[in-house]
Amino acid sequence: MTVQLFEPFSLRGMTLPNRIVVAPMCQYSANDGNASDWHVMHWGQFLLSGAGLFMIEATGVEPRGRITPGCLGLWSDENEAAFAHALKIARSYSDMPVGLQLGHAGRKASALRPWEGNGHYPEDDGGWQVLGPSAVPFAQDWPVPRSMTERDIDDLLQNFADATRRAVRLGLDCIEIHAAHGYLLSSFLSPIANHRTDAYGGSLENRMRLPLQVFEAVRAAAPAAMPVGVRFNGTDWVDDAINGDEAVAFARALADRGCDFVDVSSGGNAFAKIPVGPGYQVPFAARIRQEVGVATMAVGLIRTPQHAEAIVAGGQADMVSIGRGFLNNPHWPWQAAETLGVNIDVVPQYRFGATSLYRPTWGR
C-alpha cells in the first residue's frame, strides 16, 4: 500500500522527494540581519533530516521588517554574503530543496526575543518606529505604528522584489511570502488592524490589495521555474475579522495570479482564545484545497507520522509543515519512515542509526 506522505510532489520546477516540510522557525540569532554560525548548525541538521523541503525562517526585507533585532534579513550585500556563506556550508552534504520565507513584521516589529520576555524594545533602547496599515497598536503598551503612506507602500514592493532577486542569486528553490500571524501583510488583510479609508482598506478587495501587490512583485522578480507561495491566516479566531470565507477568497485571488502553494495558519492579529490541539488548523487548509484547488500546506501541532499520513492521504492537504516536532526530533522523517514502513535515503554516515530498516552489510 502506497504511503502518500513519502510520495514526490512537484511545484513548477521544484520536485520534493516527499510531502514533509520543515516549517520556517525564527531563531533570533542573526547579527544586524546577518546569518551567524548558529544558522549553519540549525540549517545543517534539518538538511540531513530526510524531509522534502526545508523552509528558512521569516527574513526581513528591510531593517524595520524584522520581528526582533536578532531576526534574519536580506536587504543588503552584507546580509546576502553572510547568508551565502552559511548556506554553502549547511548544504554541503544535502541536495534537499531549500525555500525562504520573506516577510515584514509591521506593527509587531521591534519585539523582544522570546527568552527576553514579552513586549518590545523602545526606540531609545535598540528599537525602531514600527509601520502598519493604521495607527492601531497590536496590544496595550505596544508601540503605535505609523500608518503607511503610498511612498512606504512603493518602497515595500521594491524591497520584496529586491530580496527575491537576492534569494535567486543565493540559489534558493522557492519563496514563501509571510502574510500570517498579524505581521504587516496579515494586518492589512485584517479589519482588526486595518482601519484605512483609501484603496487599501475597508472592503475585502481593498484589504487584499497590498498582499496581492507584494505577491505580484515577488512573482515578477523570481524566475519562471521558481515556485512562489503565501502563508496566511485561515481565521483570526475573533469576530469581525479574517474568517474562512475571506481566506478562501484570498486564496482564489492568489491562485488567479499564479500562486503555486498556500500555507494556511491562523491567529496573531489579536489576543484570542484558540482551541489549540493536534491539527487544529488543518480544516482551514482542507477547505481551501477543496474549494480553490491550489496546492496546500497544512500546519499546526502535527506531531505523529500517522496523523501526517492521514492528512495527506485523506486529501486535506498536499504537504504537511512541521515546526515544533522537528525541534523535538530533527530526524522526524526517519521516525515517520520507520513507523509507516518506508525506506528513505539517509547520508551514509548516519544510515546505521537512521531506522531499523537499514542493515549492516559488513562486520561490526
Side-chain angles (χ1 to χ4, degrees):
M1 188 173 180
T2 302
V3 176
Q4 295 296 316
L5 187 63
F6 284 94
E7 285 293 295
F9 189 70
S10 295
L11 296 164
R12 288 193 185 239
M14 178 181 75
T15 297
L16 311 185
N18 59 62
R19 313 300 185 90
I20 304 168
V21 178
V22 182
M25 294 177 278
C26 291
Q27 296 299 292
Y28 315 104
S29 300
N31 303 308
D32 296 323
N34 298 328
S36 67
D37 289 348
W38 174 261
H39 292 94
V40 176
M41 295 193 303
H42 178 68
W43 298 350
Q45 67 177 336
F46 294 126
L47 286 171
L48 298 179
S49 70
L53 172 66
F54 172 56
M55 292 294 300
I56 292 175
E57 68 191 84
T59 299
V61 298
E62 64 155 314
R64 293 177 300 183
R66 294 170 296 165
I67 303 167
T68 77
C71 287
L72 272 179
L74 197 55
W75 64 79
S76 71
D77 291 345
E78 184 181 12
N79 293 159
E80 185 177 342
F83 204 118
H85 172 74
L87 189 62
K88 180 180 179 180
I89 298 172
R91 281 182 122 171
S92 296
Y93 297 98
S94 173
D95 59 0
M96 182 191 298
V98 180
L100 175 65
Q101 188 183 71
L102 289 178
H104 192 296
R107 65 181 186 153
K108 295 176 75 174
S110 193
L112 298 173
R113 296 170 180 85
W115 51 83
E116 296 172 333
N118 296 319
H120 62 92
Y121 287 98
E123 288 186 54
D124 60 358
D125 187 23
W128 56 89
Q129 170 70 62
V130 300
L131 302 178
S134 307
V136 179
F138 168 62
Q140 187 177 2
D141 298 327
W142 279 69
V144 176
R146 179 169 65 78
S147 180
M148 291 180 68
T149 65
E150 290 188 13
R151 173 61 183 273
D152 292 327
I153 289 172
D154 289 342
D155 288 345
L156 181 76
L157 297 176
Q158 186 64 54
N159 290 338
F160 266 97
D162 289 345
T164 299
R165 284 185 275 270
R166 292 184 186 279
V168 172
R169 289 198 294 268
L170 287 166
L172 293 163
D173 297 291
C174 70
I175 290 175
E176 178 180 89
I177 299 166
H178 200 345
H181 303 165
Y183 299 124
L184 184 64
L185 300 183
S186 179
S187 68
F188 266 85
L189 286 166
S190 178
I192 294 173
N194 187 345
H195 296 182
R196 298 176 75 100
T197 57
D198 62 3
Y200 291 95
S203 67
L204 176 60
E205 179 183 6
N206 284 355
R207 286 184 278 117
M208 292 193 303
R209 192 178 307 277
L210 180 59
L212 292 175
Q213 287 178 333
V214 168
F215 174 80
E216 290 169 345
V218 171
R219 180 68 272 170
M226 175 182 272
V228 177
V230 182
R231 173 176 253 194
F232 59 89
N233 283 359
T235 180
D236 278 337
W237 296 108
V238 296
D239 294 335
D240 300 321
I242 295 173
N243 57 42
D245 292 342
E246 291 196 346
V248 168
F250 183 51
R252 187 169 286 118
L254 287 168
D256 289 345
R257 288 162 174 77
C259 183
D260 296 293
F261 65 94
V262 296
D263 177 1
V264 190
S265 190
S266 69
N269 272 303
F271 289 106
K273 187 175 182 179
I274 301 176
V276 175
Y280 70 104
Q281 297 172 142
V282 172
F284 308 124
R287 179 181 173 187
I288 287 170
R289 185 176 188 271
Q290 180 179 8
E291 296 186 23
V292 181
V294 64
T296 306
M297 194 179 297
V299 300
L301 295 184
I302 302 167
R303 297 296 291 266
T304 70
Q306 296 90 336
H307 188 191
E309 169 65 10
I311 290 168
V312 176
Q316 295 176 284
D318 298 286
M319 298 161 280
V320 293
S321 182
I322 297 171
R324 290 175 176 84
F326 269 103
L327 290 179
N328 178 268
N329 176 9
H331 300 131
W332 190 93
W334 300 0
Q335 173 195 346
E338 184 163 29
T339 300
L340 300 173
V342 176
N343 197 353
I344 63 172
D345 188 36
V346 176
V347 290
Q349 295 92 328
Y350 284 177
R351 280 180 186 162
F352 292 163
T355 78
S356 62
L357 299 177
Y358 289 104
R359 302 296 183 200
T361 57
W362 41 269
R364 294 182 180 86

